[in-house]
Amino acid sequence: MSTATNSTKLRANRIRLWISLMLIGVVLLSACQQAATPTAEPTAEPTAAPVATQTPEPPAATEPAEEPAPQDELAAELVGPLWLLLGYGDAGNPSVVEPGTSVTLEFADDGSLSGSGGCNNFFGSYELTGDQIAIGQLGSTMMACDKGMDQETAILAALQSAYKVAFTEQGRLEIFYEADAAFEKKLVYTQSQKSLTNTLWLLEAFGNPANPAAPEAGTMITAQFSPDGILSGMAGCNNYTTSFTAEDGRLEVEMPASTLRECTQGMQQEAAYLEALAAAESYSINGTTLEITYNGGQGVLRYTSRHLPLENVLWTLVTINGEVSRIGLVATTALFEPGSEPGKGAVGGTAMCNDYRGSYSLAEQALTIEGIEVSWVRCPETVMQAEATYVEIMEAAQSYQVFGETLVITSEKGILTFSANRTPLEGTNWRLVTMGDIQSPTVPSQGGDFTARFLPPEGGPSGLVVGSTGCNDYNAAYLANLNELKVNLPNKTNNASCPASFWEQEQQFFLGLNAASTYRILGNTLQIPYDEGRQALTFTAFVPQVTPPPSGGPLTPLNGTSWWLTMISGTPVIAGTETTAQFAINADGQTGTISGSAGCNTYNAPITGVLQIGPAAVTKLFCAEPAGLMDQESQYLAALQVANSFTLAYNQLLINTRNGWLVYYNSPAPLQPIATPELPPVETEEPTETPTDVPAETPTAQYTPTAAPTDTPAPVAPVAVITAPTQGDTTQKIQFDASYSTSGGSITAYAWDFGDGTKGSNVKTSHQFTKAGTYIVTLTITDSNKKTATTTHIITIK
């Protein structure tokens, strides 16, 4: 093996060591480090955006981290909530819980505790002294489940050896265990659901429970329940207030009083909403969703508590002082990029005609913007006047609020309303465009086609990300909210025909995913930083090439295909065993049969719907070897009986069941877990203390590129960003804007490909599509450092 290869592997291992410093809990601190910024909790529990009438929650601990917090303060936070487990294991890089499992814990003020291990319920006692905790012998039910049993055993053992508790800035509970372990271990929990009170609820839909309607476009309806029995919010036009009582799921609301403004839209909706509130009868909270039923269950009000953060989101202006912003040659945008000091950073974007940039600072709900500088492009007078008004309001900003995906900035000069320009993380097909050093990233080598698709969670907080590297397919459990991300080390196929040089690139990609703690999406660009922000994976959204299936139904693509099982509920199948599935689908595309080997016995089962599998006919053999095969077979057949949907992703078939995911591959090549690289011996120049004690600047110095002087940073890689609508028609000239693209130098070239055979070369351009259809618009920029960046934008023309 060459010296260069050894050096590269050593560097990767060192990166792995230092990466562990930045990961706390299952998902780290978001880019927003201050209390003022609305921070989203994991999928199970995002935090509400701050509201002027809302009293901020007290910090998790008032004592320094190295000293125990007062027992009564810790107990007050510990007791009461139902805690949902997010991850466990290495405190520097915990493992996400298995997809489809829900593990809980609840502490009572009488010293007892209880919860679910994912299969069995357990109970016991605890003692809390300062931040030190001791958990007594646990008892549990004795059920055998089809998934999560090994995880449950590990978690119950961890609780038995717990010795310390702590709370993060996001209010997550950390329970440290195995005090004598070689490295620090912890369980990380979040509250399983939002509280009715002290939460900002945004109305998503209301009306008929079977088909509730979304609020009218341009209107915003909110509700805040205070602990003293006052309900207030916005009804779409007017503010309202009233009193309420809530107990054991029952809810009574008095007829609200409201202000008396007349608006051009939403007045009938507002009246209907206030009447529905007055007819409220019950409520329920499931994670981040609040549902209020009214009129004997004939109607429902459905709210969410998920709100985007202010920072690291590309905001597009919608209204100025309540009037839709229609003046401008380009879309007006704002991006708040945090700096090194919490609560401060740079804000910039485009403003009707010109680019602008300034600085901002946050203090709770307060927002201050200063020093805005604007470029000098001359546009029509009406545009320049609108631009001046926008900049004037921004410079006079006093406060902000985020409602879901809407940002409202209030100042003494007026009010600005923005909408998030953000492709969803989940359900989108992402393709890697650059990776590695944030200042000098590399593009995938020839033959590399790194893709990712995040499948939403079902039955627990974790989801599954699946993808391909161009040579191997992979999948991994992940946890995500609106700005935080944690991915387990993936399982991948082991294609022996991959070039020898490809392994290192794959390892860098997989370790980068595993080291992620946050992410941001700007339009159609996904950036996943790691290694304390010094490195990143950058993706762009794309539309996959799909071969239309033959005429039939949803199951027709499965007809005549054969698959080999690789994972059951996140657990790889036993080495040396082979579980298969062959499909014969009827002409209706909705029914047929599934058959194959279950590992020991053969099986055959009818498919009665999409995707519903009937009882299987199974042979009666018993296979003693390998150990555990018969249990695996039973687990597999039981999962098939509760299947509900399927996804075809690359060369993988994923069948979603109530017992978790069944993951198949289209050949016998098994999926293999990616191993964590072994850490090298600690060298004399490296710190000998426990990694958590190493100052942050030590790893920073280690990763300064040796070719660049420390006082002359390497050129920052360019990032291409497209601002444009996602829909249009053949009668329109669509405006495309690349002016928010960034570079460490100056951008010297813009190359547009509109997907219909025409090109463009300006920073801001317009294009008229002559035929209806869906087009992929590609932008490639080149900067003065001879670096390039590419992104895409999907637009549908009617």
Side-chain angles (χ1 to χ4, degrees):
M1 185 175 291
S2 68
T3 303
T5 302
N6 283 328
S7 175
T8 304
K9 290 186 176 180
L10 179 60
R11 174 181 168 82
N13 286 336
R14 288 176 175 172
I15 289 173
R16 180 79 179 130
L17 175 62
W18 292 118
I19 282 171
S20 68
L21 299 178
M22 73 174 181
L23 296 173
I24 60 171
V26 173
V27 190
L28 266 180
L29 301 177
S30 68
C32 310
Q33 295 290 328
Q34 67 292 327
T37 306
T39 303
E41 280 294 305
T43 309
E45 192 253 342
T47 302
V51 181
T53 58
Q54 179 175 332
T55 303
E57 295 183 4
T62 57
E63 296 292 327
E66 64 270 13
E67 297 181 9
Q71 180 174 353
D72 55 351
E73 180 182 336
L74 279 176
E77 289 193 80
L78 192 67
V79 172
L82 180 64
W83 297 101
L84 177 70
L85 185 69
L86 301 177
Y88 63 99
D90 183 354
N93 191 6
S95 296
V96 170
V97 295
E98 292 180 19
T101 63
S102 182
V103 180
T104 62
L105 178 61
E106 189 170 13
F107 295 89
D109 55 12
D110 63 357
S112 63
L113 60 80
S114 59
S116 169
C119 174
N120 289 282
N121 295 325
F122 64 87
F123 48 88
S125 62
Y126 73 96
E127 291 184 4
L128 185 67
T129 306
D131 63 351
Q132 303 297 298
I133 191 170
I135 294 178
Q137 187 67 34
L138 295 176
S140 73
T141 55
M142 300 297 290
M143 293 186 297
C145 297
D146 293 325
K147 61 178 177 178
M149 295 302 293
D150 290 341
Q151 175 180 268
E152 179 173 276
T153 300
I155 290 165
L156 294 182
L159 286 172
Q160 296 276 210
S161 62
Y163 66 91
K164 185 176 71 172
V165 298
F167 290 91
T168 70
E169 291 185 20
Q170 295 93 343
R172 299 185 186 122
L173 167 64
E174 298 180 334
I175 299 179
F176 295 84
Y177 64 95
E178 292 185 18
D180 56 352
F183 54 90
E184 196 170 51
K185 297 182 178 181
K186 65 182 175 183
L187 301 154
V188 184
Y189 293 84
T190 187
Q191 292 189 30
S192 64
Q193 63 184 33
K194 295 296 293 183
S195 168
L196 176 67
T197 59
N198 287 333
T199 299
L200 173 63
W201 297 104
L202 177 69
L203 189 70
E204 286 188 309
F206 71 106
N208 183 349
N211 188 27
E216 294 179 24
T219 63
M220 191 180 307
I221 299 176
T222 66
Q224 282 186 281
F225 298 82
S226 68
D228 56 2
I230 300 299
L231 167 60
S232 59
M234 297 183 296
C237 173
N238 289 281
N239 296 329
Y240 69 91
T241 185
T242 185
S243 60
F244 76 93
T245 57
E247 185 177 4
D248 297 330
R250 297 187 299 274
L251 179 66
E252 293 183 8
V253 179
E254 296 296 323
M255 187 65 197
S258 68
T259 53
L260 299 174
R261 292 193 302 270
E262 287 290 332
C263 299
T264 57
Q265 64 173 341
M267 297 303 293
Q268 290 184 341
Q269 173 184 266
E270 180 171 289
Y273 170 72
L274 296 177
E275 287 180 6
L277 271 182
E281 297 166 336
S282 64
Y283 77 94
S284 62
I285 299 175
N286 181 14
T288 61
T289 300
L290 164 67
E291 287 194 351
I292 296 176
T293 59
Y294 61 93
N295 288 344
Q298 297 300 305
V300 65
L301 298 169
R302 184 171 298 151
Y303 303 81
T304 182
S305 62
R306 287 172 59 90
H307 308 279
L308 283 171
L310 171 70
E311 297 171 312
N312 282 320
V313 174
L314 183 60
W315 299 102
T316 301
L317 184 68
V318 179
T319 66
I320 299 179
N321 295 325
E323 297 295 327
V324 176
S325 175
R326 302 185 187 279
I327 300 176
L329 302 183
V330 295
T332 298
T333 61
L335 175 64
F336 294 82
E337 294 187 282
S340 58
E341 183 178 349
K344 295 186 178 181
V347 58
T350 55
M352 282 77 175
C353 173
N354 285 281
D355 297 336
Y356 71 95
R357 189 171 181 84
S359 61
Y360 71 90
S361 60
L362 305 171
E364 296 186 351
Q365 296 97 298
L367 170 65
T368 302
I369 297 176
E370 298 176 319
I372 291 182
E373 296 180 352
V374 183
S375 58
W376 292 92
V377 177
R378 192 67 192 174
C379 295
E381 190 60 33
T382 55
V383 175
M384 298 302 290
Q385 289 177 357
E387 181 176 276
T389 299
Y390 171 79
V391 172
E392 183 180 36
I393 295 174
M394 288 286 280
E395 286 187 315
Q398 297 170 315
S399 64
Y400 80 96
Q401 288 180 294
V402 179
F403 304 91
E405 296 188 358
T406 299
L407 165 65
V408 178
I409 294 179
T410 303
S411 80
E412 59 184 12
K413 301 290 186 178
I415 297 176
L416 303 172
T417 302
F418 299 81
S419 178
N421 181 358
R422 191 175 193 268
T423 301
L425 174 71
E426 294 170 334
T428 300
N429 289 283
W430 299 102
R431 172 170 284 122
L432 187 74
V433 290
T434 62
M435 63 194 301
D437 192 323
I438 197 77
Q439 295 182 332
S440 183
T442 59
V443 298
S445 64
Q446 186 174 5
D449 185 17
F450 293 79
T451 58
R453 185 179 178 191
F454 294 85
L455 304 177
E458 292 190 29
S462 302
L464 195 69
V465 56
V466 299
S468 173
T469 66
C471 188
N472 287 295
D473 289 347
Y474 72 90
N475 63 59
Y478 78 93
L479 255 169
N481 58 25
L482 295 174
N483 63 342
E484 296 176 297
L485 176 68
K486 177 69 182 75
V487 182
N488 281 354
L489 278 170
N491 299 284
K492 75 175 184 74
T493 54
N494 190 24
N495 187 348
S497 64
C498 296
S501 60
F502 198 72
W503 178 88
E504 232 176 281
Q505 186 174 223
E506 276 194 340
Q507 282 294 98
Q508 183 183 6
F509 175 73
F510 291 137
L511 292 177
L513 278 179
N514 179 239
S517 61
T518 64
Y519 74 98
R520 72 175 186 175
I521 297 175
L522 304 180
N524 286 342
T525 299
L526 164 66
Q527 188 176 66
I528 302 176
Y530 61 98
D531 190 16
E532 297 186 341
R534 289 186 288 270
Q535 303 192 65
L537 304 172
T538 301
F539 300 78
T540 187
F542 73 97
V543 177
Q545 296 294 324
V546 178
T547 302
S551 59
L555 297 181
T556 301
L558 294 177
N559 187 39
T561 60
S562 298
W563 303 89
W564 282 258
L565 187 71
T566 62
M567 297 180 67
I568 304 177
S569 302
T571 303
V573 296
I574 298 171
T577 65
E578 189 171 271
T579 300
T580 62
Q582 290 84 43
F583 291 88
I585 305 301
N586 297 327
D588 61 7
Q590 301 187 45
T591 60
T593 59
I594 178 175
S595 60
S597 168
C600 176
N601 290 278
T602 58
Y603 69 96
N604 184 295
I607 301 174
T608 60
V610 184
L611 179 66
Q612 299 172 352
I613 298 176
V618 185
T619 57
K620 302 298 183 182
L621 301 176
F622 178 81
C623 299
E625 298 292 338
L629 174 59
M630 298 308 295
D631 289 339
Q632 176 180 280
E633 180 172 282
S634 297
Q635 184 180 356
Y636 171 68
L637 295 173
L640 283 179
Q641 298 301 295
V642 289
N644 51 46
S645 63
F646 77 98
T647 299
L648 286 169
Y650 313 102
N651 295 315
Q652 298 178 79
L653 166 66
L654 298 95
I655 295 181
N656 194 15
T657 81
R658 290 206 303 270
N659 293 347
W661 290 99
L662 297 174
V663 181
Y664 301 81
Y665 193 61
N666 67 352
S667 79
L671 285 174
Q672 299 182 349
I674 302 296
T676 303
E678 294 183 6
L679 298 178
V682 177
E683 299 177 4
T684 55
E685 70 273 18
E686 293 180 342
T688 56
E689 296 87 358
T690 303
T692 53
D693 296 330
V694 178
E697 61 269 25
T698 303
T700 302
Q702 183 171 353
Y703 294 115
T704 301
T706 56
T710 56
D711 57 349
T712 305
V716 176
V719 177
V721 177
I722 298 174
T723 302
T726 57
Q727 297 184 54
D729 59 54
T730 56
T731 66
Q732 295 177 293
K733 282 192 173 183
I734 308 299
Q735 301 295 321
F736 292 91
D737 177 21
S739 59
Y740 200 71
S741 301
T742 60
S743 169
S746 59
I747 299 177
T748 57
Y750 299 84
W752 296 90
D753 183 340
F754 295 105
D756 61 353
T758 57
K759 313 289 184 181
S761 59
N762 296 324
V763 60
K764 300 173 183 177
T765 186
S766 62
H767 181 68
Q768 186 168 0
F769 295 88
T770 59
K771 294 182 180 180
T774 298
Y775 297 89
I776 303 175
V777 179
T778 303
L779 167 67
T780 300
I781 63 173
T782 304
D783 68 9
S784 55
N785 298 313
K786 306 301 182 184
K787 295 181 179 295
T788 63
T790 300
T791 189
T792 59
H793 181 84
I794 301 167
I795 185 168
T796 300
I797 302 297
K798 298 180 180 178

